[in-house]
Amino acid sequence: MLEVKDIDVFYADAQALYGVGLRVEEGEVVTLVGSNGAGKTTTLRAISGLRPISRGDLVFEGSSIAGLPAHGRAELGIALVPEGRELWPSLTVLENLELGCYSKTARKHRDESLERVFDLFPRLQERSKQVAGSMSGGEQQMVAIARALMTRPRLLMFDEPSLGLAPVIVTQVFSIIRRLAKEGLTILLVEQNLKKALEVADRGYVVETGSITLQGPAGELMANEGIRSAYLGI
Ligand SMILES: Nc1ncnc2c1ncn2[C@@H]1O[C@H](COP(=O)(O)OP(=O)(O)OP(=O)(O)O)[C@@H](O)[C@H]1O
Ligand SMILES: [Mg+2]
């Protein structure tokens, strides 16, 4: 479904990605893990069209999307749940969700999509008129996921969905990810919580200082000695 081919990304003169390559097949959950500053967010931003690539290509369902602006990629079904949620804090939950269905096709399916996200997150229906900024961290993460689902994504990318959340909420977030995967959604998951990520993923990639250094089935990565000592502390 998605192929990231040998991409370089810069911030001004500073290179953040060096020939990063990865692929995500339809229906897969793929995780991209690595420590702070490794280039995980940059990779997701490049796929979303929020950051230009200076070399390589991005192929979605057989066609290059490298020339498409971010909203064009969203129309194709590429959605991102960004690091730090990025909600509109003074708008209500419902208004935040409505902003997820700005594209023509998404707008057409608004009611159906709302029903789906309220079924996934009953709490958001109860709180639909509350301003998003006054929700708890966990609830805000749910709003961010729900907003991305309102775009009717084919590929859903998560950037550190568990960041800053209490363990019980982290478990809830991962159970939502698992449920979406079971329903057939294709997922690219960026996480620092490597253990949780590898538990839910089919395959994984490790990124270090802007390059992919290791890849394989989740079970293999979990058993990898280097990973266990570097990321799991065991
Ligand atoms: N807006 C920016 N301007 C300049 N440099 C940036 C910018 N955003 C990221 N970088 C740099 O690019 C590199 C990769 O950053 P990135 O945010 O992709 O890492 P990350 O793996 O997501 O880290 P974290 O786990 O901390 O979120 C880092 O060296 C970072 O300092
Ligand atoms: Mg990041």
Side-chain angles (χ1 to χ4, degrees), residues 14-227:
Q15 187 162 0
L17 299 186
Y18 298 83
V20 163
L22 59 86
R23 67 187 165 80
V24 185
E25 305 290 352
E26 186 155 7
E28 263 192 323
V29 178
V30 172
T31 186
L32 177 63
V33 296
S35 42
N36 287 120
K40 305 179 299 294
T41 297
T42 304
T43 304
L44 296 190
R45 292 177 65 83
I47 297 167
S48 308
L50 302 170
R51 194 75 218 160
I53 58 173
S54 55
R55 191 172 67 95
D57 200 4
L58 298 162
V59 178
F60 186 67
E61 303 195 310
S63 309
S64 174
I65 55 165
L68 281 182
H71 66 84
R73 298 186 201 185
E75 294 264 354
L76 289 179
I78 299 175
L80 172 65
V81 181
E83 195 174 5
R85 348 273 192 235
E86 294 182 15
L87 300 175
W88 284 272
S90 60
L91 299 185
T92 66
V93 168
L94 186 60
E95 286 163 343
N96 270 278
L97 297 182
E98 301 270 7
L99 284 163
C101 54
Y102 51 84
S103 86
K104 233 193 212 156
T105 32
R107 217 174 312 137
K108 244 194 303 193
H109 295 94
R110 174 203 176 266
D111 294 351
E112 188 189 320
S113 303
L114 257 187
E115 205 171 303
R116 170 151 185 257
V117 302
F118 284 155
D119 176 51
L120 270 174
F121 306 107
R123 181 126 189 115
L124 299 188
Q125 186 159 26
E126 291 162 25
R127 300 297 182 92
S128 66
K129 294 197 175 76
Q130 185 172 332
V131 292
S134 68
M135 309 276 279
S136 73
E139 290 167 344
Q140 290 193 28
Q141 185 59 264
M142 306 300 172
V143 178
I145 297 171
R147 181 182 58 186
L149 289 171
M150 292 297 289
T151 69
R152 301 176 65 79
R154 311 217 33 231
L155 169 69
L156 185 53
M157 304 189 290
F158 291 87
D159 196 351
E160 309 220 17
S162 74
L163 197 70
L165 301 180
V168 53
I169 310 292
V170 172
T171 304
Q172 274 175 30
V173 167
F174 275 92
S175 81
I176 290 290
I177 293 172
R178 203 168 274 122
R179 173 159 167 197
L180 293 171
K182 222 176 185 174
E183 289 174 9
L185 191 60
T186 307
I187 291 171
L188 178 56
L189 171 66
V190 159
E191 257 297 333
Q192 282 201 43
N193 190 332
L194 187 125
K195 187 163 177 287
K196 287 253 186 238
L198 290 176
E199 275 167 14
V200 64
D202 299 302
R203 290 188 302 114
Y205 293 84
V206 178
V207 58
E208 286 175 60
T209 54
S211 304
I212 302 289
T213 53
L214 203 61
Q215 58 176 293
E220 252 173 49
L221 294 180
M222 189 80 104
N224 182 288
E225 284 303 328
I227 290 196

